[in-house]
Structure formats: structure tokens, C-alpha cells
Amino acid sequence: MGSTIKYMTTAEIREDFLAFFASKGCKRYPSSSLIPDDPSLLLSNAGMNQFKEYYQGLKTMHEIGACSCQKCLRTNDIDNIGDSRHLSFFEMLGNFAFGGYSKEDAIRWAVEFCTKEEHLGLPMDRLFFTVYRDDDESIELWQKYGADPSHITRLGEEDNFWAAGPTGPCGPCSEVYFDQGEEFGCGSPDCAPGCDCDRYLEFWNLVFTQYDRQEDGSMPDLPHKNIDTGMGLERISAIMQGQHSNYEGDVLRSLLGVGERLSGKTYGGKATGTDRSLRIIADHARAVTFMIGDGILPSNEGRGYILRRLLRRAVYHGRLLGIEGAFMTQYSAEVRAIMGEVYPALTDNAALIDGIISAEEERFNATLDKGEALLETELGAMEEGADLPGEVAFTLHDTYGFPIDLTREICETRGHAIEMDSFEAAMKDQRERARAAANRDAWGTYNNAWTSLSDELPSTEFCGYDADEVDGATILAIVCDGEPVSHAAAGKAVEVVLDRTPFYAEMGGQVGDTGTLSAETAKVCVLDTKHREGDLYAHVGEVVEGDLSVGQKVVATIDHGRRELIRRNHTATHLLDAALKRVLGDHVSQAGSLVAPERLRFDFTHFEAVTPEELARIEGMVNAQIFAAEPIVTKVMGIDEAKAAGAVALFGEKYGDTVRVVSTGSSEGEVFSRELCGGTHARNTAEVGLFKIVSEGSVGSNARRIEAVTSAGAINYVDERLALLDLVAAGLKCRPNDIAQRVEQIQAELREVDKKLQAALVGGSSNQIQDAIAQAIEIDGYKLCIGRLDGISAKELRGAWDTVREKLGPASACVLASVGEDGKVALLAAGTDTAVKSGFGAGNLIRQIAPLVGGRGGGRPNMAQAGGRDASGIDEALKAAHSALSDAAQA
């Protein structure tokens, strides 16, 4: 087609779009996190996610509308990623209105942005439009602003009508397409937007949410009509850069270049083979980098599972390309270089992102090796030309992260196919389980008592930083059994809302305060304090005296002693966080915490167990700050000022424009810890008294947990340990200082006893092994011992073989079986080099007889083992071994 398109970079398009809609009066919003505020969503997958409450009328926007460039992630069509259009991570440009501007405004501005030379400057004759079949209004508007009637197509509800669900907000859509030219078409005279061919590329969708569908099917107008648009940034970038695939736009093309450099392969622009692998790695690497940057950590469920799946898929395709060793951090570095200025979390969390990627990549490479070993074992036990069971292929996929393509490739090289029907059945079951978990209604109800109260009441004023008691607080609401009530009598469980309170509501890991609410005619024992919608604090407890009423004045008093213990533990978590970063590295980030009166728990990102030496340094560093008696300083400041001052933000947390910063110093006058925090703290580090680590361990891949105690808790812990030490010393009949030496002595004695016991079980003096050796037979140049030795383990069977070889000489072999104390069967076949040369083959023999005991196994010609679950088959297995070896000798 003759008309030319001006070149624009992705960054230029992003900025021009946002500036354009801001000039129309829309408020410019930054992208929200990939972790949505909406609990019904696993990941942010559309620009409208952060505006859901505006659509529902729960919030009101003062501007006429909003615009944003939203980070999005979708994996419902992951198998299609690598073609020209599908991506897991993408950026969605959008403009939105909640009654602030009209459908006509949205269409007029869309035409203006698309066609005006100062913006995209796309020729109108290459733009096509689809509308809902009954939406005459949209057709008239597109024509009014320059669209040729022949360029407008009516489509049905499936294509051009959006609905939140069977009932509720809904409305017609109108999509904008770019004509890539006849050479991309199917050649059909009926080819038009909506056709499956690649000629017409949809890049902008305008949704007009204007109806409220009822159960009877009627659709009255909503109180105000909403606009929800979405334009894929990668797609419009490809158009503006003269490319025909999302992967050829400047951002992803740069990431493809990383793959070319690492693999030595050249990208050719296809959706198959090497090109597809290069595309998949580029896409997945960007997605993984952004997910970790937003606070998502690898796990076996939820969004953490999606992260792990994408990362592993990228690593696998790296193997297909022949990339050796770990390579994914080279992609994350390129993502930061390209997009870090727009999304600073990528740069702020660089050490953490690279650390997690490296740890996961190393772990998966080891897993791939294990999977390959399992597959080799399975293939070795199969008859020539047999199909690999689909259940095995699924186990490799599900347990080892082994892609089916890799399983198929390895099987084909060995002359085997895969039973795909059973594999697909297992995959279908898994997908249905995942879909049932993820396909929840994104427009779930918000209408509960606390939502209503948050609309009616002002936020609770927290006075607890400086006061333990507030006199004259007013009861604004009482909730019983989930419903607001005007009063509550003695014995009633209640949640009480005050206009102001010294009670801290559970938040940021710090538990809620307890205490009392006292009125002239009533008293409430507060057992907990919860944070509810609209920054309302709920004092959870029981009316223990009198009758409580809305409007009453109360004296709100917290449990002072309990609060003091909580303060100290909270300050200790800040000191611990700073010490962890200094000892382990900048990749350490808080991943969760519990601040209770009796203890603290701190979860953090790290990739291996913390050594005893490191724990000692960490504990010593925290105690040095405590003993230095440094003041704790809190300041309220702007978020940008706080970050510029080096304040640590909680990983993945969202903050407002104004934040509270808590700082502690050091004896050298430096700032030791500075964090954004809304919790309560000690006034001086000395109040923490003593910090003692109780335990350190794993809470999942890339995450560790430290539990610790301070002040009174630390004293109790030390006292308990000393009492236990005295008790152990008394039991060992030695002084506490001599316990280690006494334990070492006892361990040495036990080792000697164990050696004697093992020798009795499997040595020459064992009746079982002596009987088996006595019945050894001559087979074609070697002596064969077949026997059942119950009560010993698989490891001990190898010791029995040593005895057999010693007694029968250099031309010997054995087939031994045992049922251990756990009821599991162990088989062992072993032979000397002479026996092997004479035809004895341990690996083949074990593969033959293992199924008779319900197991599988294999190994080398001179030694092989198997495990099983069916002890009733042992005698038959040993008999089969005897027959097989006898037949081989006679052949």
C-alpha cells in the first residue's frame, strides 16, 4: 500500500498517548502493580483493574476521566506465545471515563490521536472499524469523524459486546484495525476485520459500558455511562515501526538480540523453530523481570507458580537453542536498560531480581537433569517401539517442569512415541482445576457492612504514637454479627468504631492492640484491633458491663505493657532487616513479618541457608545497635523525598504521596536503618534490651525465615535454655561445661555398636547370608548366589554383596532381595568383572524382575538396584532371575 507511516519508538508512543489524554482533561495515573488490589484477580490483566471501584460507583473521580499505561500479564494462551501477536507481559494504553465524558468524545479523540500528524498520523484509508451489530450510534459517530462506511463492519455479541457477567454492567465495543495490505490477507472477497487472516490488525478497543443487564435480560441504562479503552502498546509500536509482529517492535527486538548473541543463532522473523524459541525467551524474560520487580516470588501456587512456569519455559527454550549455563540475568539487565526509567522498580530491585532469577535457573537446570535421568530409566525399561505412558510424560511435566516437547524429542531419538491421549487427559484435568481456581468473577460484590460504613464515616484518627489513652473518644458505629447496630448489651461480641483511638490496628505485620473501652454505663474488653475499609479501625471484643450505644463517649485505654513489648519487637525487625542486608547482600528484601508481644518473625528473600557464622554476625550487629542506645527518629515526608533519603520500602507494597519514615543511627553517627513504616516503635534502641535469634529456616524457594525474641522474651528464652542445659547435664552425669565432650564420647560408642550390629546383619556371621552363600550354584564360569535377606535396607544389601564376593571369590554374582522395616522391597543384582564377561548383566536382569514386586529400576551391568511395593512377589522375582540367568547360560 502506498501511504507511508512515520516512525515512532515505543517510548515516544507511550508518552504521546498519555500527554494527549491529559490535555483533554483526563488525570494521568501511573501503572498499578502486577499484583492487583482486587482479591478476585490473580494478576493485573487490563488497564481497567485499578479503576474498578470507580466503575462500581464506590469511588468518585473529580476529573472528567483517567489515562494510564498499565503493566499487564496474561497466561491463558501461553501455548500461543511465540506467534506474531500473543505475549504474556504487555503494556496497555487506556483512557477511561465514569460519566465524565461521552461516547462521542471517546470516538472523536480516538480518530484525532490515530490520524493527526502530530500524533500517530495513520492514514484514514488504512483504518477499519468494527461495531456491535445493533450499535447504530457508533457507526454514525465513526462516519461523522471521517470513516468510510465501507470500512465499518458489524459483528455479533461474541466479538463486540462486553459484559462483567451474566448480569451487571455491560455494553457494546468498537475496535480499530490497521490494514497491513493484501499480501497479508486470505484472498477471499469477503475478507474484512474479524477475519482469521493477518491482513487486518486490531490495535485499539473502545468499550462503552452503558447498560445494566437484569436477570430477565432487559438492559436499562446505567446511572452514568463508562468508557474503557485499551490499546496494546507493543502492537501499535509494531505498526508505527513498519513491522508485522509484536516481536519486531524496538523493545522486544532488542531482547531478541540478546538471544542471538547468547546462542549464535540469527533471528529470521518466523513463528517456528529457532525463531519461536528466541521469541519465547524474550517475552518470558521480560515478564519474569517485571513480576519479581513488583514483589512476586516463585512458588508452587498462584502468581508465584506462573512466575516459575514462565522462567522455566524460557530456560528450556535456551537449552533448545544450545545456550550453555545460566543466562537469564543477561535478559533482565537488558529489560532494565530499556524500561527501567519508566518503571523504576526494575532498577530499585535489580539485585533481588537477578538473585531470584539465578537461583531459580540453577534449581531448574538441576531439575531438568533429574527429569532426563528419570526419562532415561523409563525408556530403558521399555520394549522396543513401545509408547511412553502418558502418565509418565505428565509426571515429567508437572513434577519436574519438563516440557512435553522435550520429552517427545528425547523419546523420538530412542525410537519411542508418547501415549498422548492419556497425557492430554491429565493435562485437561489440570487445566480445569486451574481454570476453576482462577476464573472468578472480577466484579464481585463489595456491598458489606464495612463498605457502607466507610462511605458514611470519616477515617479513624490514630493517636497511638504518643498516647496510650484517649479520653472522650466518640463511638461512631457498632457492628454485631456483621451488621451495624445502635447499641449492644453485656455479653455481646462487638466491633466498635471510634472517631479517634490509641489502639493500633493490625497492619504491616504488627498485631493489633488490646485493652478497654470504658463509658459511664458500659465497658468493652478489646481483644484485638482490625483495619477495615475506608481506614476505619474496628475494636474487636466483648461488652462486659452495661449497655453500649452509638454516640457514647468512652475512655480508650490500651494494654500498656503489651504495647511496650510490641514496640521493642517492631524496632528489632528494622534492625534485623538492616543487618541482613549488610551481611547477606542488597538482594535481601522483607517478604513478610509478625510483630507480636512475645516474639518476632521476619521473612526475607535469600537463596540459601544462612550459615551459623552469618547468623552470629547478624545477631551481633543488631545487639551492637541496641547497646549503643541510639534514638529512634520518625518523620513524615513526601514519598520522593523519603526514597531520595534512602528509606527502604517494603517489597511489593503500595504507598501514598506522604509516608512515615522511621530511622535509627549507629555509634558512628551514621544511619543504620531507615524504613517506610506506619507501626509503633521503641523510643531508643536500648529499650529493646537484648536480641536473640531462635531459629532460621526455609519457607519456600528463595525465602528464609528468622524467628527471634527481645527484652523480656529474650530473658525467658535464655533462662529456659540454661534450665534445659542443667537437665541434660544431670542426665549425662557431668557438668554443663562438659556436655559437648560427653556427647562426643557417647556418639563414638554408638558408632562402634552400630558397626558391630551391621556386621552381624550382613557379615559372614549372618545366618541369612551364610545360608544364601551355601546354596550358591555354578553358572557358565561364575558362582551365583540368590537369596532373600529380610529386615535390612537397600544400602545394607550392598554390604551383603561385599560378603558374597569375599566368600565366593573373583568369579561371582548375586541376586538379593529384602523387605525393610518400612515394608518396602529392595532388589540388588551385582557381579564381578569375570561374571559380567561370562554373560551376567545386572541392569537388564533388574529391569526384568522389578515389575514382579511392583517397582522399576536399572543400572550398570556390574550392579543394579530397584525398589518396589509388593513383597508378595519377591519369591517369584528371585525364581525369574534364576531362570533368566540359567537360560542365558544354556543359550
Side-chain angles (χ1 to χ4, degrees):
M1 304 185 76
S3 50
T4 59
I5 308 298
K6 72 174 182 179
Y7 183 93
M8 293 180 72
T9 67
T10 296
E12 288 170 341
I13 297 169
R14 184 194 298 115
E15 177 57 33
D16 189 37
F17 179 91
L18 297 174
F20 173 81
F21 281 99
S23 73
K24 302 299 183 184
C26 295
K27 182 177 179 180
R28 182 169 173 165
Y29 280 78
S31 172
S32 63
S33 170
L34 285 172
I35 304 174
D37 289 328
D38 185 347
S40 69
L41 289 175
L42 194 62
L43 291 157
S44 295
N45 60 10
M48 59 75 62
N49 291 161
Q50 67 174 308
F51 302 112
K52 177 175 172 179
E53 291 183 306
Y54 293 103
Y55 277 95
Q56 295 176 313
L58 300 175
K59 289 184 178 180
T60 301
M61 184 173 290
H62 301 295
E63 297 80 9
I64 67 166
C67 60
S68 70
C69 182
Q70 174 65 44
K71 298 174 288 188
C72 297
L73 203 141
R74 298 177 188 172
T75 57
N76 56 315
D77 49 10
I78 191 171
D79 292 334
N80 292 323
I81 292 171
D83 64 8
S84 296
R85 300 184 182 182
H86 289 86
L87 302 169
S88 59
F89 175 91
F90 57 95
E91 296 179 85
M92 184 63 75
L93 298 168
N95 60 287
F96 312 89
F98 320 102
Y101 60 83
S102 67
K103 185 176 187 176
E104 179 170 2
D105 290 329
I107 288 177
R108 174 164 52 88
W109 292 340
V111 172
E112 182 180 347
F113 183 74
C114 285
T115 61
K116 293 297 182 182
E117 187 59 35
E118 60 269 29
H119 302 298
L120 299 185
L122 295 171
M124 194 67 171
D125 63 359
R126 295 184 70 175
L127 298 182
F128 285 72
F129 311 89
T130 61
V131 299
Y132 180 53
R133 62 189 174 210
D134 298 332
D135 188 9
D136 295 333
E137 181 185 8
S138 289
I139 291 178
E140 292 174 2
L141 289 170
W142 286 120
Q143 291 180 13
K144 178 179 178 179
Y145 292 105
D148 187 321
S150 66
H151 285 209
I152 302 174
T153 303
R154 294 179 187 263
L155 294 177
E157 186 165 341
E158 182 178 347
D159 296 293
N160 277 81
F161 196 90
W162 180 88
T167 61
C170 60
C173 308
S174 190
E175 296 174 316
V176 186
Y177 288 74
F178 180 74
D179 183 1
Q180 298 194 93
E182 292 182 6
E183 63 271 28
F184 292 92
C186 57
S188 169
D190 298 326
C191 185
C195 181
D196 291 335
C197 72
D198 290 333
R199 175 171 179 174
Y200 299 101
L201 182 65
E202 183 264 318
F203 66 91
W204 200 348
N205 186 18
L206 285 69
V207 180
F208 309 118
T209 315
Q210 58 194 81
Y211 304 121
D212 187 8
R213 179 180 280 160
Q214 306 298 304
E215 291 186 0
D216 62 4
S218 62
M219 294 193 297
D221 288 345
L222 286 168
H224 57 72
K225 299 179 180 181
N226 302 316
I227 306 293
D228 169 15
T229 82
M231 176 160 57
L233 181 55
E234 288 80 5
R235 192 164 290 185
I236 190 61
S237 294
I239 291 172
M240 299 306 297
Q241 293 165 24
Q243 305 298 331
H244 303 289
S245 162
N246 286 335
Y247 292 92
E248 268 89 71
D250 54 351
V251 171
L252 284 168
R253 188 62 186 86
S254 180
L255 292 171
L256 289 170
V258 176
E260 289 179 309
R261 174 170 53 80
L262 291 171
S263 67
K265 307 288 174 61
T266 300
Y267 176 71
K270 298 180 181 179
T272 57
T274 294
D275 290 350
R276 181 170 179 268
S277 290
L278 286 168
R279 286 180 173 185
I280 287 171
I281 302 172
D283 169 85
H284 290 8
R286 184 171 64 154
V288 164
T289 302
F290 270 90
M291 291 176 81
I292 300 173
D294 273 4
I296 299 170
L297 300 177
S299 71
N300 289 325
E301 59 185 12
R303 54 181 72 96
Y305 173 74
I306 292 173
L307 167 61
R308 176 167 284 162
R309 184 183 179 195
L310 291 173
L311 198 154
R312 290 184 168 190
R313 200 163 184 255
V315 171
Y316 156 62
H317 279 276
R319 281 201 175 194
L320 290 184
L321 293 175
I323 301 175
E324 297 182 358
F327 64 89
M328 288 291 288
T329 56
Q330 297 190 52
Y331 278 93
S332 60
E334 185 70 11
V335 173
R336 284 194 295 273
I338 301 168
M339 308 183 75
E341 186 175 349
V342 179
Y343 300 104
L346 299 177
T347 303
D348 295 344
N349 298 313
L352 178 62
I353 292 169
D354 286 352
I356 288 176
I357 286 176
S358 295
E360 278 291 306
E361 190 173 7
E362 179 181 353
R363 184 178 292 108
F364 181 52
N365 276 322
T367 300
L368 275 175
D369 292 338
K370 291 179 183 177
E372 287 177 333
L374 173 63
L375 182 54
E376 285 296 328
T377 300
E378 293 288 344
L379 294 175
M382 289 169 55
E383 295 181 3
E384 184 177 347
D387 289 351
L388 181 76
E391 293 81 3
V392 175
F394 180 75
T395 298
L396 287 165
H397 161 81
D398 194 49
T399 304
Y400 294 92
F402 225 64
I404 187 64
D405 293 342
L406 181 58
T407 305
R408 183 184 292 110
E409 182 179 330
I410 295 174
C411 286
E412 287 175 352
T413 62
R414 300 283 295 275
H416 299 281
I418 301 173
E419 292 176 1
M420 290 304 296
D421 288 346
S422 54
F423 173 80
E424 291 294 347
M427 287 293 293
K428 182 179 178 182
D429 289 343
Q430 184 193 61
R431 282 194 292 267
E432 288 177 352
R433 290 193 299 270
R435 190 179 298 115
N439 190 25
R440 290 175 289 177
D441 177 18
W443 289 75
T445 178
Y446 276 70
N447 295 323
N448 58 45
W450 291 105
T451 300
S452 300
L453 289 174
S454 69
D455 289 337
E456 301 166 8
L457 303 178
S459 299
T460 305
E461 180 187 351
F462 177 61
C463 311
Y465 291 129
D466 304 309
D468 291 344
E469 182 176 284
V470 170
D471 191 356
T474 302
I475 297 177
L476 299 182
I478 302 171
V479 175
C480 291
D481 299 323
E483 295 296 331
V485 297
S486 59
H487 63 89
K492 271 288 188 182
V494 294
E495 295 187 50
V496 181
V497 180
L498 305 178
D499 62 339
R500 52 201 176 95
T501 183
F503 285 75
Y504 184 84
E506 181 178 354
M507 198 186 319
Q510 180 174 329
V511 298
D513 279 327
T514 62
T516 59
L517 305 179
S518 302
E520 289 186 5
T521 59
K523 183 177 181 180
V524 178
C525 177
V526 179
L527 304 175
D528 197 0
T529 310
K530 296 288 188 182
H531 193 270
R532 302 298 190 191
E533 282 91 336
D535 285 331
L536 299 179
Y537 285 26
H539 302 76
V540 182
E542 181 182 349
V543 181
V544 293
E545 294 178 15
D547 190 81
L548 196 70
S549 301
V550 173
Q552 272 184 311
K553 300 289 185 181
V554 298
V555 178
T557 308
I558 67 170
D559 182 333
H560 173 77
R562 182 175 180 274
R563 163 70 78 79
E564 287 303 307
L565 294 174
I566 293 170
R567 285 180 186 269
R568 293 164 186 166
N569 280 339
H570 201 154
T571 296
T573 64
H574 283 217
L575 298 175
L576 173 59
D577 189 19
L580 286 166
K581 286 179 169 63
R582 284 168 168 79
V583 174
L584 302 180
D586 290 338
H587 65 274
V588 168
S589 183
Q590 182 177 337
S593 69
L594 171 69
V595 181
E598 67 279 357
R599 65 190 175 101
L600 66 92
R601 185 181 71 217
F602 192 82
D603 296 348
F604 58 99
T605 53
H606 190 51
F607 318 117
E608 58 189 357
V610 185
T611 66
E613 294 77 16
E614 289 170 333
L615 284 175
R617 288 177 59 199
I618 292 162
E619 186 178 278
M621 196 174 288
V622 173
N623 279 317
Q625 289 298 310
I626 294 170
F627 302 152
E630 296 289 343
I632 288 139
V633 179
T634 61
K635 290 183 179 179
V636 176
M637 62 181 73
I639 182 67
D640 292 336
E641 180 186 358
K643 289 183 177 180
V648 174
L650 187 62
F651 185 45
E653 188 63 55
K654 304 173 182 70
Y655 295 95
D657 295 334
T658 303
V659 293
R660 185 169 179 265
V661 180
V662 179
S663 303
T664 64
S666 74
S667 56
E668 290 81 20
E670 302 172 350
V671 172
F672 183 76
S673 167
R674 178 173 283 147
E675 293 192 25
L676 307 183
C677 182
T680 62
H681 285 271
R683 290 156 287 271
N684 187 289
T685 58
E687 294 179 9
V688 180
L690 176 67
F691 174 81
K692 191 67 186 171
I693 294 175
V694 174
S695 66
E696 188 277 336
S698 171
V699 286
S701 62
N702 309 311
R704 311 292 299 180
R705 171 174 292 173
I706 283 178
E707 300 209 32
V709 288
T710 72
S711 60
I715 293 173
N716 292 337
Y717 175 77
V718 172
D719 286 347
E720 289 172 1
R721 284 301 176 100
L722 290 174
L724 181 61
L725 195 66
D726 289 339
L727 184 64
V728 171
L732 294 175
K733 295 182 173 58
C734 67
R735 294 177 301 175
N737 289 348
D738 296 332
I739 286 178
Q741 181 179 350
R742 178 68 179 128
V743 168
E744 187 176 342
Q745 178 186 347
I746 291 173
Q747 288 176 330
E749 293 170 356
L750 287 174
R751 283 193 294 270
E752 190 62 30
V753 170
D754 187 58
K755 285 180 182 179
K756 292 177 181 178
L757 177 60
Q758 295 306 317
L761 285 172
V762 301
S765 61
S766 167
N767 290 334
Q768 289 189 91
I769 194 64
Q770 284 297 337
D771 290 345
I773 291 172
Q775 298 177 44
I777 59 175
E778 288 278 350
I779 289 190
D780 197 22
Y782 65 93
K783 293 179 180 179
L784 173 65
C785 171
I786 298 179
R788 177 169 178 166
L789 313 176
D790 285 340
I792 64 177
S793 67
K795 180 180 178 181
E796 291 163 348
L797 280 182
R798 291 195 292 272
W801 159 237
D802 291 339
T803 300
V804 170
R805 186 173 54 215
E806 180 182 339
K807 296 290 185 181
L808 296 182
S812 57
C814 74
V815 182
L816 304 176
S818 172
V819 181
E821 294 180 359
D822 57 3
K824 293 182 179 179
V825 178
L827 297 176
L828 171 77
T832 63
D833 291 342
T834 301
V836 171
K837 290 177 181 177
S838 297
F840 180 82
N844 290 332
L845 183 64
I846 284 293
R847 277 191 284 273
Q848 283 181 255
I849 68 174
L852 299 174
V853 295
R856 288 193 178 97
R860 302 182 305 277
N862 63 342
M863 180 174 286
Q865 287 185 271
R869 299 178 300 277
D870 185 7
S872 66
I874 288 180
D875 292 340
E876 185 179 354
L878 294 178
K879 183 178 178 181
H882 183 280
S883 297
L885 293 172
S886 297
D887 292 346
Q890 295 171 9

